[in-house]
Amino acid sequence: MNINENIKVLQQIAEQYKNRSILSLFDDDKNRVEKLTLSFEHMIGDFSKQKIDDEILKALENFAELCGFAQKREQMFSGAKINVTEKRAVLHTALRNSTSDDIRVDGINIIPEIKDVLRQMENFCAKFHSGELVGYSGKRLDTIVNIGIGGSDLGPKMVCTALKPYHKKNTAIHFVSNVDSTHLVETLTLCNPETTLFIIASKTFTTEETMTNAHSARMWFLNNGGNDESVGKHFIALSTNLKETSAFGINPDNVFRFWDWVGGRFSLWSAIGLPIALICGYDCFRELLSGGEEMDKHFHTKEMRHNIPIMMAFCTFWNTTINGMANHAVLPYDEYLRLFPAFLQQLEMESIGKFVVMNGNKVEYKTNPSVWGQPGTDSQHSFFQLIHQGTDIIPCDFIAAAQSHNPLGNHQQRLLANFLAQTEALMNGKSAATVREELEKAGLNEKEIEGLIQHKIFEGNRPTTTILCKKIDAFTLGALIAMYEHKVFTLGILWNINSFDQWGVELGKQLAKKILPELSNKADEPQHDASTNNLIRQIHAWSNE
Ligand code: F6P
């Protein structure tokens, strides 16, 4: 199959739709809302405000079939090494699979190992919550500091923030990721060394930022009452690298393992989720896994048109590759989901921000929109101007829950009124005639109307997806995350991209290693391009003042 030619066929279909509005598609099909609103437990995904219809969906389904989608999905679930450049299976789904007893990697059944680690997590949580885990002075550990970065930070941090209403009492949690010392120093001002548990979360246990922060945290601990013998009580690790965790001095009983078939940005379901289980309770963590597992079943079995992650991927593929839209905004109308866009930035952009296809050839079509967002309603007062009237069309996901965790007066109705109004405005727009009528009613004269009218027109016809949940609890959140994970997987198949490696992060890391000694040793002349050399000299000069 030639993907490029099939993309051209889809582009021809798009051309025929060029002058048709999303709104007109509702007139063409009276059942549009029923057809394009998909249900999953206490969640619905409404795709009717996207510029798609039966004909487009049929063409997208055909395209997915030509890409071998069903077979590739099967390969992922069954543990085939679909991450070909790293020769790894991709089995985050196995971590939340409570029904299968046998999933194999290299002939070894991984389910017993997964269950062992879950038991270890459960036991550790039980001891932590009962107060059995004490620090060097005998006081109960009550503060958690998770030190990690990327997938070893963003996922658990986002979930802990989203599930704040479920936090255990008298326990605090902090996340330190940035190698900027401010992050660690500021966090440590909130901690008592006698009662703090440091979790060093790193798949590789070699990541520069995490190891630098981990060593500095240990130094702080030793300088503030701790000693070498008590490091084991206060430092635990979540990692695949048992050699390095032991070199750091972590008690092997307090290393929570995972495996190379868990990608960093897909790892919150593994031992990397321990901070979630500690702050929200182990049962809550299991609920999160259950939500992910139910979404896996949905993704694995539902036909494409009724499959929420596939429909999300179709919309992004249609908007970006076929219609050239280069951005994608994610807008949770839920304050607890404020870190969801940041989490999705890694999940989506580290997965599919790539310019080569599976065989190493340069991709010949547009992929990977930039993903960004902020909670509503705050975002309405910052970048929504551009979403409504900018020259680029920016498809958006609007996410909200009907129920608030903190009901207060009519705040939730106001929030949801805004949530609904935005998608309505983006689709319907406002015509010149309506603007004129409004301005006339407001008593403006013709000259004033002429001066304003163009500025107040909304072209509309801007595609959005609405995800409406009953309430953001652990189960629903698990499903929501898994939904985006499978969207990413599906896009990888449609674009013929390996969604599971991340070679693009290497070069900067390599160069930073070279620059670091040059920053410490001022005597040597820096060996870079003229701009970088000049900046290094300026840093030397200013660091001394
Ligand atoms: O930024 C690259 C990356 O490898 C991510 O994929 C990963 O989530 C992050 O670094 C952290 O890696 P580790 O868990 O090994 O410290």
Side-chain angles (χ1 to χ4, degrees):
M1 196 248 346
N2 183 336
I3 289 197
N4 298 325
E5 269 161 32
N6 277 284
I7 285 180
K8 284 197 191 116
V9 172
L10 289 167
Q11 279 163 343
Q12 280 157 14
I13 299 178
E15 193 56 32
Q16 292 158 21
Y17 278 74
K18 212 167 154 196
N19 297 321
R20 290 172 67 182
S21 67
I22 302 173
L23 205 52
S24 73
L25 300 176
F26 284 82
D27 298 331
D28 297 347
D29 183 353
K30 296 292 168 221
N31 296 323
R32 180 173 173 81
V33 174
E34 290 72 35
K35 278 187 190 166
L36 291 175
T37 302
L38 309 188
S39 297
F40 169 88
E41 304 281 335
H42 293 307
M43 186 198 291
I44 55 173
D46 177 359
F47 298 93
S48 65
K49 292 192 182 87
Q50 289 282 347
K51 198 172 178 180
I52 50 170
D53 66 0
D54 283 337
E55 185 192 353
I56 293 171
L57 281 176
K58 186 83 220 120
L60 289 167
E61 285 167 342
N62 286 343
F63 183 77
E65 273 164 27
L66 285 168
C67 295
F69 173 74
Q71 189 200 352
K72 289 177 179 166
R73 177 177 55 186
E74 216 44 58
Q75 286 176 340
M76 175 177 74
F77 278 105
S78 62
K81 296 200 174 173
I82 58 171
N83 176 358
V84 287
T85 61
E86 295 182 310
K87 300 191 178 66
R88 288 177 183 167
V90 174
L91 273 173
H92 46 280
T93 51
L95 298 165
R96 50 201 189 214
N97 188 328
S98 65
T99 52
S100 175
D101 288 334
D102 196 346
I103 299 175
R104 285 176 186 261
V105 176
D106 293 327
I108 296 168
N109 185 5
I110 58 170
I111 297 293
E113 294 182 49
I114 295 173
K115 286 189 177 156
D116 278 352
V117 176
L118 282 172
R119 258 191 304 274
Q120 186 194 4
M121 290 167 74
E122 185 175 15
N123 290 338
F124 191 81
C125 285
K127 284 192 207 154
F128 182 78
H129 294 134
S130 69
E132 196 184 324
L133 285 189
V134 293
Y136 64 86
S137 64
K139 286 191 186 152
R140 172 185 169 250
L141 297 177
D142 62 5
T143 303
I144 303 158
V145 176
N146 189 83
I147 298 181
I149 197 163
S152 302
D153 168 73
L154 288 165
K157 185 168 62 182
M158 181 276 287
V159 172
C160 289
T161 308
L163 297 182
K164 171 97 190 322
Y166 303 93
H167 281 199
K168 297 272 181 195
K169 297 231 163 13
N170 305 321
T171 309
I173 188 155
H174 309 288
F175 287 83
V176 174
S177 51
N178 200 335
V179 77
D180 179 348
S181 47
T182 298
H183 204 174
L184 182 67
V185 170
E186 283 288 350
T187 303
L188 292 177
T189 62
L190 309 171
C191 301
N192 172 356
E194 290 174 89
T195 57
T196 299
L197 174 70
F198 290 95
I199 301 180
I200 315 301
S202 175
K203 182 174 169 180
T204 53
F205 227 72
T206 55
T207 303
E208 183 194 6
E209 294 89 335
T210 300
M211 296 328 294
T212 306
N213 279 323
H215 284 286
S216 297
R218 185 167 62 178
M219 193 59 75
W220 172 85
F221 174 73
L222 295 176
N223 290 339
N224 287 279
N227 54 39
D228 283 328
E229 291 72 57
S230 52
V231 164
K233 283 177 183 267
H234 290 263
F235 286 78
I236 65 170
L238 321 176
S239 187
T240 59
N241 190 342
L242 306 188
K243 200 165 145 238
E244 287 298 324
T245 55
S246 127
F248 188 90
I250 290 176
N251 177 351
D253 292 343
N254 285 339
V255 178
F256 296 78
R257 325 170 39 207
F258 57 111
W259 306 271
D260 73 357
W261 41 261
V262 183
R265 50 196 176 273
F266 301 88
S267 64
L268 67 91
W269 318 96
S270 71
I272 289 292
L274 185 64
I276 303 168
L278 286 172
I279 195 75
C280 299
Y282 181 75
D283 290 346
C284 187
F285 179 65
R286 289 305 299 241
E287 270 296 292
L288 185 83
L289 296 189
S290 299
E293 180 179 19
E294 282 310 308
M295 183 52 77
D296 292 342
K297 289 183 197 156
H298 171 97
F299 175 63
H300 204 160
T301 56
K302 288 270 179 201
E303 66 247 48
M304 296 195 199
R305 237 171 246 230
H306 297 137
N307 195 312
I308 302 181
I310 296 179
M311 285 290 285
M312 292 176 85
F314 277 172
C315 291
T316 294
F317 182 80
W318 182 250
N319 290 331
T320 300
T321 306
I322 308 303
N323 290 286
M325 300 170 199
N327 285 275
H328 184 94
V330 180
L331 308 159
Y333 276 63
D334 188 313
E335 194 54 30
Y336 286 131
L337 286 181
R338 63 184 173 273
L339 299 183
F340 198 54
F343 165 74
L344 287 184
Q345 284 184 322
Q346 188 201 13
L347 178 63
E348 299 214 10
M349 297 201 278
E350 196 168 78
S351 297
I352 46 189
K354 291 162 191 170
F355 57 52
V356 292
V357 293
M358 290 299 254
N359 66 6
N361 285 346
K362 190 100 185 262
V363 74
E364 288 183 33
Y365 35 84
K366 196 168 184 52
T367 63
N368 59 266
S370 304
V371 178
W372 45 271
Q374 279 258 312
T377 56
D378 287 30
S379 47
Q380 292 178 196
H381 298 270
S382 60
F383 54 75
F384 265 54
Q385 164 64 42
L386 176 139
I387 290 186
H388 283 285
Q389 287 187 320
T391 52
D392 287 341
I393 295 188
I394 299 168
C396 308
D397 291 351
F398 281 77
I399 306 170
Q403 293 181 17
S404 167
H405 283 287
N406 300 294
L408 178 65
N410 69 355
H411 282 242
Q412 189 66 3
Q413 282 101 317
R414 285 179 187 276
L415 177 75
L416 294 175
N418 276 279
F419 166 74
L420 296 170
Q422 292 298 331
T423 60
E424 196 179 16
L426 285 164
M427 178 170 73
N428 298 350
K430 194 193 267 187
S431 67
T434 310
V435 176
R436 169 170 288 281
E437 202 182 306
E438 285 180 2
L439 294 178
E440 278 170 1
K441 265 200 199 134
L444 272 71
N445 64 36
E446 188 52 31
K447 196 164 170 237
E448 289 168 325
I449 291 175
E450 279 307 314
L452 263 184
I453 196 159
Q454 293 304 326
H455 298 275
K456 292 180 76 97
I457 289 172
F458 289 72
E459 288 175 347
N461 209 21
R462 298 187 172 220
T464 61
T465 294
T466 301
I467 307 291
L468 180 64
C469 307
K470 183 172 168 188
K471 190 175 192 171
I472 304 294
D473 53 18
F475 181 93
T476 302
L477 182 66
L480 200 61
I481 298 166
M483 184 172 96
Y484 276 93
E485 288 179 348
H486 293 318
K487 172 198 167 184
V488 165
F489 168 81
T490 306
L491 279 170
I493 302 304
L494 300 179
W495 284 329
N496 193 23
I497 275 175
N498 179 3
S499 307
F500 302 105
D501 59 13
Q502 55 283 316
W503 301 107
V505 303
E506 298 294 326
L507 180 58
K509 288 186 193 172
Q510 266 173 14
L511 293 178
K513 276 205 182 105
K514 182 163 180 247
I515 293 172
L516 181 62
E518 294 171 346
L519 286 179
S520 342
N521 187 357
K522 289 162 204 150
D524 294 345
E525 195 43 29
Q527 304 290 321
H528 302 270
D529 57 89
S531 159
T532 308
N533 288 343
N534 185 47
L535 290 166
I536 290 174
R537 281 188 219 105
Q538 190 62 67
I539 291 172
H540 281 161
W542 277 341
S543 314
N544 286 337
E545 281 178 13

